[in-house]
Short mmCIF file of all heavy atoms in Angstrom, two decimals:
data_model
loop_
_atom_site.label_atom_id
_atom_site.label_comp_id
_atom_site.label_asym_id
_atom_site.label_seq_id
_atom_site.Cartn_x
_atom_site.Cartn_y
_atom_site.Cartn_z
N LYS A 1 -9.53 -31.51 -7.81
CA LYS A 1 -9.32 -30.78 -9.05
C LYS A 1 -10.63 -30.31 -9.64
O LYS A 1 -11.65 -30.95 -9.48
CB LYS A 1 -8.58 -31.65 -10.05
CG LYS A 1 -7.15 -31.93 -9.66
CD LYS A 1 -6.39 -32.53 -10.80
CE LYS A 1 -4.96 -32.65 -10.35
NZ LYS A 1 -4.06 -33.08 -11.36
N LEU A 2 -10.58 -29.18 -10.31
CA LEU A 2 -11.76 -28.66 -10.96
C LEU A 2 -12.05 -29.48 -12.22
O LEU A 2 -11.12 -29.86 -12.93
CB LEU A 2 -11.56 -27.21 -11.33
CG LEU A 2 -11.30 -26.26 -10.17
CD1 LEU A 2 -10.97 -24.86 -10.70
CD2 LEU A 2 -12.51 -26.19 -9.27
N PRO A 3 -13.31 -29.74 -12.51
CA PRO A 3 -13.63 -30.52 -13.70
C PRO A 3 -13.08 -29.86 -14.97
O PRO A 3 -13.17 -28.64 -15.12
CB PRO A 3 -15.16 -30.53 -13.75
CG PRO A 3 -15.61 -30.05 -12.42
CD PRO A 3 -14.48 -29.30 -11.79
N HIS A 4 -12.48 -30.64 -15.83
CA HIS A 4 -12.01 -30.21 -17.15
C HIS A 4 -10.84 -29.23 -17.12
O HIS A 4 -10.48 -28.70 -18.14
CB HIS A 4 -13.14 -29.57 -17.99
CG HIS A 4 -14.39 -30.40 -18.03
ND1 HIS A 4 -14.44 -31.62 -18.61
CD2 HIS A 4 -15.61 -30.17 -17.51
CE1 HIS A 4 -15.64 -32.13 -18.48
NE2 HIS A 4 -16.38 -31.28 -17.81
N SER A 5 -10.26 -28.94 -15.95
CA SER A 5 -9.19 -27.96 -15.93
C SER A 5 -7.86 -28.52 -15.50
O SER A 5 -6.82 -27.99 -15.85
CB SER A 5 -9.56 -26.79 -14.99
OG SER A 5 -9.50 -27.22 -13.65
N GLY A 6 -7.86 -29.54 -14.65
CA GLY A 6 -6.61 -30.07 -14.12
C GLY A 6 -6.01 -29.15 -13.07
O GLY A 6 -4.87 -29.29 -12.69
N ILE A 7 -6.78 -28.17 -12.58
CA ILE A 7 -6.30 -27.22 -11.59
C ILE A 7 -6.93 -27.55 -10.24
O ILE A 7 -8.13 -27.77 -10.14
CB ILE A 7 -6.69 -25.77 -11.99
CG1 ILE A 7 -6.03 -25.43 -13.33
CG2 ILE A 7 -6.28 -24.77 -10.91
CD1 ILE A 7 -6.49 -24.09 -13.89
N ALA A 8 -6.10 -27.57 -9.20
CA ALA A 8 -6.62 -27.87 -7.86
C ALA A 8 -7.63 -26.80 -7.45
O ALA A 8 -7.44 -25.63 -7.71
CB ALA A 8 -5.46 -27.93 -6.86
N ALA A 9 -8.70 -27.23 -6.79
CA ALA A 9 -9.81 -26.31 -6.43
C ALA A 9 -9.34 -25.19 -5.52
O ALA A 9 -9.91 -24.10 -5.53
CB ALA A 9 -10.94 -27.08 -5.77
N GLU A 10 -8.30 -25.42 -4.72
CA GLU A 10 -7.84 -24.37 -3.80
C GLU A 10 -6.83 -23.43 -4.44
O GLU A 10 -6.33 -22.50 -3.81
CB GLU A 10 -7.23 -25.01 -2.52
CG GLU A 10 -6.00 -25.84 -2.78
CD GLU A 10 -6.28 -27.27 -3.19
OE1 GLU A 10 -7.46 -27.65 -3.35
OE2 GLU A 10 -5.32 -28.03 -3.36
N SER A 11 -6.55 -23.60 -5.72
CA SER A 11 -5.59 -22.76 -6.42
C SER A 11 -6.07 -21.33 -6.56
O SER A 11 -7.26 -21.06 -6.67
CB SER A 11 -5.33 -23.29 -7.83
OG SER A 11 -4.71 -24.56 -7.78
N ILE A 12 -5.12 -20.42 -6.50
CA ILE A 12 -5.37 -19.01 -6.78
C ILE A 12 -4.42 -18.64 -7.93
O ILE A 12 -3.22 -18.85 -7.83
CB ILE A 12 -5.11 -18.12 -5.56
CG1 ILE A 12 -6.10 -18.47 -4.44
CG2 ILE A 12 -5.22 -16.63 -5.95
CD1 ILE A 12 -5.86 -17.74 -3.15
N ILE A 13 -5.00 -18.14 -9.01
CA ILE A 13 -4.21 -17.78 -10.18
C ILE A 13 -4.16 -16.26 -10.28
O ILE A 13 -5.21 -15.60 -10.27
CB ILE A 13 -4.81 -18.40 -11.46
CG1 ILE A 13 -4.84 -19.92 -11.33
CG2 ILE A 13 -4.05 -17.94 -12.69
CD1 ILE A 13 -5.62 -20.62 -12.40
N ARG A 14 -2.96 -15.72 -10.36
CA ARG A 14 -2.77 -14.27 -10.42
C ARG A 14 -2.11 -13.90 -11.74
O ARG A 14 -1.07 -14.47 -12.09
CB ARG A 14 -1.91 -13.81 -9.26
CG ARG A 14 -1.59 -12.34 -9.27
CD ARG A 14 -0.77 -11.99 -8.03
NE ARG A 14 -0.16 -10.70 -8.20
CZ ARG A 14 1.13 -10.49 -8.35
NH1 ARG A 14 1.97 -11.50 -8.35
NH2 ARG A 14 1.59 -9.27 -8.50
N VAL A 15 -2.72 -12.99 -12.46
CA VAL A 15 -2.16 -12.49 -13.71
C VAL A 15 -1.92 -11.00 -13.52
O VAL A 15 -2.81 -10.27 -13.07
CB VAL A 15 -3.13 -12.71 -14.89
CG1 VAL A 15 -2.58 -12.14 -16.17
CG2 VAL A 15 -3.45 -14.19 -15.04
N GLN A 16 -0.70 -10.56 -13.84
CA GLN A 16 -0.38 -9.12 -13.69
C GLN A 16 0.05 -8.57 -15.03
O GLN A 16 0.86 -9.18 -15.73
CB GLN A 16 0.71 -8.92 -12.66
CG GLN A 16 1.00 -7.44 -12.42
CD GLN A 16 2.05 -7.23 -11.36
OE1 GLN A 16 3.13 -7.77 -11.44
NE2 GLN A 16 1.72 -6.42 -10.37
N VAL A 17 -0.49 -7.42 -15.37
CA VAL A 17 -0.11 -6.72 -16.61
C VAL A 17 1.22 -6.02 -16.32
O VAL A 17 1.34 -5.31 -15.33
CB VAL A 17 -1.18 -5.69 -17.02
CG1 VAL A 17 -0.77 -4.97 -18.29
CG2 VAL A 17 -2.53 -6.38 -17.18
N GLU A 18 2.19 -6.22 -17.17
CA GLU A 18 3.49 -5.61 -16.97
C GLU A 18 3.36 -4.08 -16.95
O GLU A 18 2.70 -3.50 -17.79
CB GLU A 18 4.47 -6.04 -18.06
CG GLU A 18 4.85 -7.50 -17.98
CD GLU A 18 5.86 -7.90 -19.04
OE1 GLU A 18 6.52 -7.02 -19.59
OE2 GLU A 18 5.97 -9.10 -19.27
N ALA A 19 4.03 -3.48 -16.00
CA ALA A 19 3.90 -2.04 -15.79
C ALA A 19 4.46 -1.22 -16.96
O ALA A 19 4.03 -0.10 -17.17
CB ALA A 19 4.58 -1.63 -14.49
N ASP A 20 5.39 -1.77 -17.71
CA ASP A 20 6.00 -1.00 -18.79
C ASP A 20 5.32 -1.19 -20.14
O ASP A 20 5.77 -0.67 -21.14
CB ASP A 20 7.49 -1.33 -18.91
CG ASP A 20 7.73 -2.79 -19.30
OD1 ASP A 20 6.82 -3.62 -19.11
OD2 ASP A 20 8.83 -3.08 -19.80
N LYS A 21 4.21 -1.92 -20.16
CA LYS A 21 3.49 -2.15 -21.43
C LYS A 21 2.45 -1.05 -21.63
O LYS A 21 1.73 -0.67 -20.73
CB LYS A 21 2.79 -3.51 -21.42
CG LYS A 21 3.72 -4.68 -21.29
CD LYS A 21 4.64 -4.77 -22.46
CE LYS A 21 5.57 -5.97 -22.31
NZ LYS A 21 6.62 -6.01 -23.27
N GLN A 22 2.35 -0.53 -22.83
CA GLN A 22 1.39 0.52 -23.15
C GLN A 22 0.35 -0.09 -24.11
O GLN A 22 0.38 0.15 -25.31
CB GLN A 22 2.09 1.73 -23.80
CG GLN A 22 3.06 2.41 -22.87
CD GLN A 22 2.37 2.95 -21.63
OE1 GLN A 22 1.29 3.52 -21.70
NE2 GLN A 22 3.01 2.77 -20.49
N VAL A 23 -0.54 -0.91 -23.57
CA VAL A 23 -1.58 -1.56 -24.38
C VAL A 23 -2.93 -1.41 -23.68
O VAL A 23 -3.00 -1.18 -22.48
CB VAL A 23 -1.27 -3.06 -24.60
CG1 VAL A 23 -0.01 -3.23 -25.42
CG2 VAL A 23 -1.13 -3.79 -23.28
N ASP A 24 -3.99 -1.47 -24.44
CA ASP A 24 -5.34 -1.46 -23.88
C ASP A 24 -5.76 -2.90 -23.63
O ASP A 24 -5.76 -3.72 -24.55
CB ASP A 24 -6.32 -0.80 -24.84
CG ASP A 24 -6.06 0.68 -25.03
OD1 ASP A 24 -5.58 1.31 -24.07
OD2 ASP A 24 -6.31 1.20 -26.12
N ILE A 25 -6.13 -3.19 -22.39
CA ILE A 25 -6.55 -4.55 -22.02
C ILE A 25 -7.88 -4.45 -21.29
O ILE A 25 -8.06 -3.59 -20.42
CB ILE A 25 -5.51 -5.23 -21.13
CG1 ILE A 25 -4.17 -5.34 -21.86
CG2 ILE A 25 -6.00 -6.60 -20.69
CD1 ILE A 25 -3.05 -5.86 -21.00
N ASN A 26 -8.80 -5.34 -21.65
CA ASN A 26 -10.11 -5.41 -21.00
C ASN A 26 -10.34 -6.83 -20.50
O ASN A 26 -9.98 -7.79 -21.17
CB ASN A 26 -11.23 -5.02 -21.94
CG ASN A 26 -11.15 -3.58 -22.37
OD1 ASN A 26 -11.13 -2.70 -21.54
ND2 ASN A 26 -11.09 -3.35 -23.66
N VAL A 27 -10.98 -6.94 -19.35
CA VAL A 27 -11.41 -8.23 -18.84
C VAL A 27 -12.91 -8.34 -19.08
O VAL A 27 -13.67 -7.43 -18.73
CB VAL A 27 -11.11 -8.37 -17.33
CG1 VAL A 27 -11.70 -9.66 -16.79
CG2 VAL A 27 -9.63 -8.31 -17.07
N THR A 28 -13.32 -9.41 -19.73
CA THR A 28 -14.73 -9.64 -20.02
C THR A 28 -15.22 -10.85 -19.22
O THR A 28 -14.58 -11.90 -19.25
CB THR A 28 -14.94 -9.90 -21.53
OG1 THR A 28 -14.41 -8.80 -22.24
CG2 THR A 28 -16.39 -10.07 -21.86
N THR A 29 -16.32 -10.68 -18.51
CA THR A 29 -16.87 -11.75 -17.70
C THR A 29 -18.16 -12.24 -18.35
O THR A 29 -19.10 -11.47 -18.49
CB THR A 29 -17.17 -11.24 -16.27
OG1 THR A 29 -15.98 -10.67 -15.74
CG2 THR A 29 -17.63 -12.37 -15.40
N ASP A 30 -18.17 -13.48 -18.77
CA ASP A 30 -19.34 -14.09 -19.38
C ASP A 30 -19.86 -13.25 -20.58
O ASP A 30 -21.03 -13.23 -20.85
CB ASP A 30 -20.46 -14.27 -18.34
CG ASP A 30 -21.57 -15.19 -18.85
OD1 ASP A 30 -21.29 -16.06 -19.69
OD2 ASP A 30 -22.72 -15.03 -18.41
N GLY A 31 -18.94 -12.58 -21.24
CA GLY A 31 -19.30 -11.82 -22.43
C GLY A 31 -20.14 -10.59 -22.15
O GLY A 31 -20.63 -9.95 -23.06
N GLN A 32 -20.34 -10.24 -20.88
CA GLN A 32 -21.25 -9.15 -20.56
C GLN A 32 -20.58 -7.93 -19.94
O GLN A 32 -20.89 -6.81 -20.28
CB GLN A 32 -22.32 -9.66 -19.57
CG GLN A 32 -23.09 -10.84 -20.08
CD GLN A 32 -23.86 -10.56 -21.35
OE1 GLN A 32 -24.52 -9.54 -21.46
NE2 GLN A 32 -23.76 -11.44 -22.33
N ILE A 33 -19.67 -8.14 -19.00
CA ILE A 33 -19.08 -7.03 -18.25
C ILE A 33 -17.67 -6.79 -18.78
O ILE A 33 -16.84 -7.69 -18.81
CB ILE A 33 -19.03 -7.35 -16.75
CG1 ILE A 33 -20.45 -7.63 -16.23
CG2 ILE A 33 -18.36 -6.23 -15.98
CD1 ILE A 33 -20.49 -8.20 -14.83
N ILE A 34 -17.41 -5.57 -19.20
CA ILE A 34 -16.09 -5.23 -19.71
C ILE A 34 -15.43 -4.28 -18.70
O ILE A 34 -15.98 -3.22 -18.37
CB ILE A 34 -16.15 -4.57 -21.09
CG1 ILE A 34 -16.76 -5.53 -22.09
CG2 ILE A 34 -14.77 -4.10 -21.54
CD1 ILE A 34 -17.00 -4.96 -23.46
N THR A 35 -14.28 -4.70 -18.18
CA THR A 35 -13.56 -3.90 -17.20
C THR A 35 -12.17 -3.60 -17.74
O THR A 35 -11.40 -4.53 -17.97
CB THR A 35 -13.44 -4.68 -15.86
OG1 THR A 35 -14.73 -5.05 -15.43
CG2 THR A 35 -12.76 -3.83 -14.81
N PRO A 36 -11.84 -2.35 -17.96
CA PRO A 36 -10.48 -2.02 -18.41
C PRO A 36 -9.48 -2.22 -17.27
O PRO A 36 -9.79 -1.94 -16.11
CB PRO A 36 -10.57 -0.55 -18.81
CG PRO A 36 -11.78 -0.01 -18.18
CD PRO A 36 -12.68 -1.17 -17.86
N ILE A 37 -8.33 -2.77 -17.58
CA ILE A 37 -7.26 -2.89 -16.59
C ILE A 37 -6.02 -2.16 -17.12
O ILE A 37 -5.85 -2.03 -18.32
CB ILE A 37 -6.95 -4.35 -16.23
CG1 ILE A 37 -6.54 -5.16 -17.45
CG2 ILE A 37 -8.11 -5.00 -15.53
CD1 ILE A 37 -6.11 -6.57 -17.12
N LYS A 38 -5.24 -1.67 -16.21
CA LYS A 38 -4.09 -0.85 -16.55
C LYS A 38 -2.80 -1.58 -16.23
O LYS A 38 -2.80 -2.52 -15.41
CB LYS A 38 -4.14 0.46 -15.75
CG LYS A 38 -5.40 1.28 -15.96
CD LYS A 38 -5.43 2.53 -15.10
CE LYS A 38 -5.37 2.30 -13.63
NZ LYS A 38 -6.54 1.90 -12.94
N PRO A 39 -1.69 -1.17 -16.82
CA PRO A 39 -0.41 -1.77 -16.47
C PRO A 39 -0.19 -1.71 -14.96
O PRO A 39 -0.49 -0.70 -14.31
CB PRO A 39 0.60 -0.89 -17.21
CG PRO A 39 -0.15 -0.38 -18.40
CD PRO A 39 -1.56 -0.17 -17.89
N GLY A 40 0.28 -2.81 -14.39
CA GLY A 40 0.46 -2.93 -12.95
C GLY A 40 -0.71 -3.52 -12.21
O GLY A 40 -0.59 -3.93 -11.07
N ASP A 41 -1.90 -3.59 -12.86
CA ASP A 41 -3.08 -4.18 -12.23
C ASP A 41 -2.92 -5.70 -12.12
O ASP A 41 -2.24 -6.33 -12.94
CB ASP A 41 -4.35 -3.88 -13.02
CG ASP A 41 -4.85 -2.47 -12.84
OD1 ASP A 41 -4.31 -1.75 -11.98
OD2 ASP A 41 -5.79 -2.08 -13.56
N ASP A 42 -3.56 -6.28 -11.13
CA ASP A 42 -3.62 -7.73 -10.98
C ASP A 42 -5.03 -8.22 -11.29
O ASP A 42 -6.00 -7.56 -10.96
CB ASP A 42 -3.31 -8.16 -9.52
CG ASP A 42 -1.87 -7.92 -9.14
OD1 ASP A 42 -1.01 -7.93 -10.03
OD2 ASP A 42 -1.62 -7.73 -7.94
N VAL A 43 -5.13 -9.41 -11.89
CA VAL A 43 -6.40 -10.10 -12.07
C VAL A 43 -6.22 -11.43 -11.33
O VAL A 43 -5.30 -12.17 -11.62
CB VAL A 43 -6.75 -10.34 -13.54
CG1 VAL A 43 -8.06 -11.07 -13.67
CG2 VAL A 43 -6.79 -9.02 -14.30
N ILE A 44 -7.10 -11.69 -10.37
CA ILE A 44 -6.98 -12.89 -9.52
C ILE A 44 -8.19 -13.77 -9.76
O ILE A 44 -9.32 -13.32 -9.70
CB ILE A 44 -6.84 -12.51 -8.06
CG1 ILE A 44 -5.57 -11.67 -7.85
CG2 ILE A 44 -6.82 -13.75 -7.16
CD1 ILE A 44 -5.40 -11.08 -6.49
N PHE A 45 -7.92 -15.05 -10.02
CA PHE A 45 -8.96 -16.06 -10.24
C PHE A 45 -8.90 -17.06 -9.09
O PHE A 45 -7.84 -17.57 -8.75
CB PHE A 45 -8.71 -16.81 -11.56
CG PHE A 45 -8.68 -15.91 -12.76
CD1 PHE A 45 -7.49 -15.34 -13.17
CD2 PHE A 45 -9.82 -15.65 -13.47
CE1 PHE A 45 -7.43 -14.51 -14.28
CE2 PHE A 45 -9.79 -14.83 -14.58
CZ PHE A 45 -8.59 -14.26 -14.98
N LYS A 46 -10.07 -17.33 -8.48
CA LYS A 46 -10.15 -18.34 -7.43
C LYS A 46 -11.59 -18.86 -7.35
O LYS A 46 -12.51 -18.25 -7.89
CB LYS A 46 -9.72 -17.79 -6.09
CG LYS A 46 -10.62 -16.72 -5.54
CD LYS A 46 -10.13 -16.26 -4.18
CE LYS A 46 -11.15 -15.30 -3.57
NZ LYS A 46 -10.86 -15.01 -2.20
N ILE A 47 -11.74 -19.96 -6.69
CA ILE A 47 -13.06 -20.55 -6.50
C ILE A 47 -13.91 -19.63 -5.62
O ILE A 47 -13.42 -19.11 -4.61
CB ILE A 47 -12.95 -21.93 -5.83
CG1 ILE A 47 -12.30 -22.93 -6.78
CG2 ILE A 47 -14.30 -22.45 -5.38
CD1 ILE A 47 -13.15 -23.27 -7.97
N SER A 48 -15.14 -19.44 -5.99
CA SER A 48 -16.05 -18.61 -5.21
C SER A 48 -16.59 -19.38 -4.02
O SER A 48 -16.65 -20.62 -4.04
CB SER A 48 -17.23 -18.17 -6.09
OG SER A 48 -18.19 -17.48 -5.32
N ASN A 49 -16.96 -18.65 -2.99
CA ASN A 49 -17.63 -19.29 -1.84
C ASN A 49 -19.11 -19.52 -2.13
O ASN A 49 -19.80 -20.14 -1.34
CB ASN A 49 -17.49 -18.39 -0.61
CG ASN A 49 -16.06 -18.29 -0.14
OD1 ASN A 49 -15.28 -19.23 -0.27
ND2 ASN A 49 -15.70 -17.15 0.40
N TYR A 50 -19.59 -18.99 -3.25
CA TYR A 50 -20.99 -19.10 -3.62
C TYR A 50 -21.20 -20.24 -4.63
O TYR A 50 -20.37 -20.45 -5.50
CB TYR A 50 -21.52 -17.80 -4.20
CG TYR A 50 -21.37 -16.64 -3.23
CD1 TYR A 50 -20.29 -15.78 -3.32
CD2 TYR A 50 -22.32 -16.44 -2.22
CE1 TYR A 50 -20.14 -14.73 -2.42
CE2 TYR A 50 -22.18 -15.41 -1.33
CZ TYR A 50 -21.10 -14.55 -1.42
OH TYR A 50 -20.96 -13.53 -0.53
N VAL A 51 -22.30 -20.91 -4.50
CA VAL A 51 -22.64 -22.00 -5.42
C VAL A 51 -23.97 -21.65 -6.09
O VAL A 51 -24.85 -21.07 -5.46
CB VAL A 51 -22.79 -23.34 -4.65
CG1 VAL A 51 -23.24 -24.45 -5.58
CG2 VAL A 51 -21.51 -23.70 -3.95
N THR A 52 -24.08 -21.97 -7.35
CA THR A 52 -25.33 -21.73 -8.05
C THR A 52 -25.73 -22.96 -8.85
O THR A 52 -24.90 -23.83 -9.12
CB THR A 52 -25.21 -20.51 -9.00
OG1 THR A 52 -26.49 -20.20 -9.52
CG2 THR A 52 -24.26 -20.79 -10.14
N GLU A 53 -26.96 -23.05 -9.17
CA GLU A 53 -27.46 -24.12 -10.01
C GLU A 53 -28.13 -23.49 -11.22
O GLU A 53 -28.71 -22.42 -11.12
CB GLU A 53 -28.45 -25.00 -9.24
CG GLU A 53 -27.80 -25.74 -8.09
CD GLU A 53 -28.79 -26.66 -7.37
OE1 GLU A 53 -29.79 -27.05 -7.97
OE2 GLU A 53 -28.52 -26.94 -6.20
N PHE A 54 -28.01 -24.15 -12.34
CA PHE A 54 -28.58 -23.64 -13.58
C PHE A 54 -29.70 -24.55 -14.03
O PHE A 54 -29.64 -25.76 -13.89
CB PHE A 54 -27.51 -23.58 -14.68
CG PHE A 54 -26.43 -22.60 -14.37
CD1 PHE A 54 -25.27 -23.02 -13.75
CD2 PHE A 54 -26.57 -21.27 -14.68
CE1 PHE A 54 -24.25 -22.11 -13.45
CE2 PHE A 54 -25.57 -20.35 -14.39
CZ PHE A 54 -24.40 -20.78 -13.77
N VAL A 55 -30.73 -23.94 -14.57
CA VAL A 55 -31.87 -24.67 -15.11
C VAL A 55 -31.88 -24.44 -16.62
O VAL A 55 -31.76 -23.33 -17.10
CB VAL A 55 -33.19 -24.18 -14.50
CG1 VAL A 55 -34.38 -24.90 -15.12
CG2 VAL A 55 -33.18 -24.36 -12.98
N ARG A 56 -32.02 -25.53 -17.36
CA ARG A 56 -32.14 -25.43 -18.81
C ARG A 56 -33.46 -26.01 -19.23
O ARG A 56 -33.85 -27.09 -18.80
CB ARG A 56 -31.01 -26.21 -19.50
CG ARG A 56 -29.67 -25.57 -19.29
CD ARG A 56 -28.66 -26.16 -20.25
NE ARG A 56 -27.38 -25.52 -20.04
CZ ARG A 56 -26.24 -26.15 -19.82
NH1 ARG A 56 -26.23 -27.46 -19.77
NH2 ARG A 56 -25.14 -25.49 -19.65
N PHE A 57 -34.14 -25.25 -20.08
CA PHE A 57 -35.42 -25.73 -20.60
C PHE A 57 -35.23 -26.18 -22.03
O PHE A 57 -34.68 -25.47 -22.86
CB PHE A 57 -36.46 -24.58 -20.54
CG PHE A 57 -36.71 -24.10 -19.14
CD1 PHE A 57 -36.07 -22.98 -18.66
CD2 PHE A 57 -37.57 -24.79 -18.31
CE1 PHE A 57 -36.28 -22.53 -17.38
CE2 PHE A 57 -37.80 -24.35 -17.01
CZ PHE A 57 -37.16 -23.22 -16.54
N GLY A 58 -35.68 -27.38 -22.31
CA GLY A 58 -35.53 -27.92 -23.66
C GLY A 58 -34.10 -28.37 -23.93
O GLY A 58 -33.27 -28.45 -23.04
N SER A 59 -33.83 -28.67 -25.18
CA SER A 59 -32.50 -29.13 -25.51
C SER A 59 -31.54 -27.94 -25.67
O SER A 59 -31.95 -26.84 -26.01
CB SER A 59 -32.52 -29.94 -26.81
OG SER A 59 -32.93 -29.11 -27.88
N TYR A 60 -30.30 -28.17 -25.38
CA TYR A 60 -29.27 -27.14 -25.47
C TYR A 60 -28.06 -27.73 -26.15
O TYR A 60 -27.55 -28.77 -25.75
CB TYR A 60 -28.90 -26.65 -24.05
CG TYR A 60 -27.84 -25.58 -24.05
CD1 TYR A 60 -28.15 -24.26 -24.32
CD2 TYR A 60 -26.51 -25.91 -23.78
CE1 TYR A 60 -27.19 -23.28 -24.31
CE2 TYR A 60 -25.55 -24.94 -23.77
CZ TYR A 60 -25.88 -23.62 -24.05
OH TYR A 60 -24.91 -22.65 -24.04
N ASP A 61 -27.61 -27.07 -27.20
CA ASP A 61 -26.47 -27.56 -27.97
C ASP A 61 -25.35 -26.51 -27.87
O ASP A 61 -25.34 -25.54 -28.61
CB ASP A 61 -26.88 -27.78 -29.43
CG ASP A 61 -25.74 -28.21 -30.32
OD1 ASP A 61 -24.65 -28.54 -29.81
OD2 ASP A 61 -25.95 -28.23 -31.54
N PHE A 62 -24.45 -26.70 -26.91
CA PHE A 62 -23.39 -25.72 -26.68
C PHE A 62 -22.62 -25.43 -27.96
O PHE A 62 -22.37 -24.28 -28.31
CB PHE A 62 -22.42 -26.22 -25.60
CG PHE A 62 -21.19 -25.38 -25.47
CD1 PHE A 62 -21.23 -24.18 -24.77
CD2 PHE A 62 -20.00 -25.75 -26.06
CE1 PHE A 62 -20.11 -23.37 -24.65
CE2 PHE A 62 -18.86 -24.97 -25.96
CZ PHE A 62 -18.94 -23.77 -25.25
N PHE A 63 -22.21 -26.46 -28.68
CA PHE A 63 -21.42 -26.26 -29.90
C PHE A 63 -22.23 -25.60 -31.00
O PHE A 63 -21.72 -24.82 -31.79
CB PHE A 63 -20.78 -27.57 -30.35
CG PHE A 63 -19.72 -28.03 -29.37
CD1 PHE A 63 -19.97 -29.09 -28.53
CD2 PHE A 63 -18.51 -27.37 -29.29
CE1 PHE A 63 -19.02 -29.50 -27.62
CE2 PHE A 63 -17.54 -27.77 -28.38
CZ PHE A 63 -17.80 -28.84 -27.55
N GLY A 64 -23.54 -25.88 -31.05
CA GLY A 64 -24.40 -25.19 -31.99
C GLY A 64 -24.48 -23.71 -31.71
O GLY A 64 -24.40 -22.87 -32.61
N VAL A 65 -24.60 -23.35 -30.45
CA VAL A 65 -24.64 -21.94 -30.05
C VAL A 65 -23.30 -21.29 -30.37
O VAL A 65 -23.24 -20.18 -30.91
CB VAL A 65 -24.96 -21.81 -28.53
CG1 VAL A 65 -24.79 -20.37 -28.07
CG2 VAL A 65 -26.36 -22.29 -28.24
N LEU A 66 -22.21 -21.98 -30.09
CA LEU A 66 -20.88 -21.46 -30.39
C LEU A 66 -20.70 -21.22 -31.89
O LEU A 66 -20.23 -20.16 -32.32
CB LEU A 66 -19.82 -22.41 -29.87
CG LEU A 66 -18.36 -21.99 -30.02
CD1 LEU A 66 -18.11 -20.70 -29.23
CD2 LEU A 66 -17.43 -23.10 -29.55
N ARG A 67 -21.12 -22.20 -32.69
CA ARG A 67 -21.03 -22.03 -34.16
C ARG A 67 -21.84 -20.84 -34.63
O ARG A 67 -21.40 -20.05 -35.47
CB ARG A 67 -21.51 -23.31 -34.87
CG ARG A 67 -20.49 -24.41 -34.93
CD ARG A 67 -20.94 -25.55 -35.87
NE ARG A 67 -22.18 -26.18 -35.44
CZ ARG A 67 -22.25 -27.15 -34.53
NH1 ARG A 67 -21.16 -27.59 -33.94
NH2 ARG A 67 -23.42 -27.66 -34.22
N GLU A 68 -23.04 -20.67 -34.06
CA GLU A 68 -23.89 -19.54 -34.44
C GLU A 68 -23.23 -18.20 -34.06
O GLU A 68 -23.18 -17.26 -34.86
CB GLU A 68 -25.24 -19.66 -33.76
CG GLU A 68 -26.21 -18.54 -34.14
CD GLU A 68 -27.56 -18.72 -33.48
OE1 GLU A 68 -27.96 -19.88 -33.21
OE2 GLU A 68 -28.19 -17.69 -33.22
N LYS A 69 -22.70 -18.12 -32.84
CA LYS A 69 -22.06 -16.87 -32.40
C LYS A 69 -20.82 -16.54 -33.20
O LYS A 69 -20.51 -15.37 -33.43
CB LYS A 69 -21.70 -16.96 -30.92
CG LYS A 69 -22.90 -16.90 -30.01
CD LYS A 69 -22.51 -16.88 -28.56
CE LYS A 69 -23.75 -16.72 -27.69
NZ LYS A 69 -23.42 -16.45 -26.30
N LEU A 70 -20.11 -17.56 -33.67
CA LEU A 70 -18.90 -17.33 -34.47
C LEU A 70 -19.21 -17.19 -35.94
O LEU A 70 -18.30 -16.94 -36.74
CB LEU A 70 -17.91 -18.48 -34.24
CG LEU A 70 -17.32 -18.56 -32.83
CD1 LEU A 70 -16.47 -19.84 -32.69
CD2 LEU A 70 -16.48 -17.35 -32.51
N GLY A 71 -20.48 -17.36 -36.32
CA GLY A 71 -20.88 -17.24 -37.72
C GLY A 71 -20.42 -18.41 -38.57
O GLY A 71 -20.17 -18.25 -39.75
N TRP A 72 -20.29 -19.56 -37.96
CA TRP A 72 -19.83 -20.76 -38.68
C TRP A 72 -20.96 -21.65 -39.16
O TRP A 72 -20.77 -22.79 -39.50
CB TRP A 72 -18.89 -21.60 -37.81
CG TRP A 72 -17.61 -20.91 -37.49
CD1 TRP A 72 -17.13 -19.75 -37.97
CD2 TRP A 72 -16.62 -21.39 -36.57
NE1 TRP A 72 -15.92 -19.45 -37.44
CE2 TRP A 72 -15.56 -20.45 -36.57
CE3 TRP A 72 -16.51 -22.51 -35.75
CZ2 TRP A 72 -14.43 -20.61 -35.79
CZ3 TRP A 72 -15.38 -22.65 -34.98
CH2 TRP A 72 -14.35 -21.71 -35.00
N ASN A 73 -22.17 -21.14 -39.20
CA ASN A 73 -23.33 -21.94 -39.65
C ASN A 73 -23.34 -22.08 -41.15
O ASN A 73 -22.96 -21.30 -41.90
CB ASN A 73 -24.63 -21.32 -39.17
CG ASN A 73 -24.80 -21.52 -37.68
OD1 ASN A 73 -24.16 -22.37 -37.08
ND2 ASN A 73 -25.69 -20.74 -37.09
#
């Protein structure tokens, strides 16, 4: 299972926008890339074959950053 998700690592999750809906929908990846999707499009989520490691310098307060971004300071 994936940490914190309860979803098996080999799972593939498919979300489809209903073809008869007339709404504007965008997919945002890490808050940076905005991709418009249309009715009938599929969005598929699965584990990547690529692995990355992250380096953090100094202290990092995830909830502090979240509060700042949401203007809750």
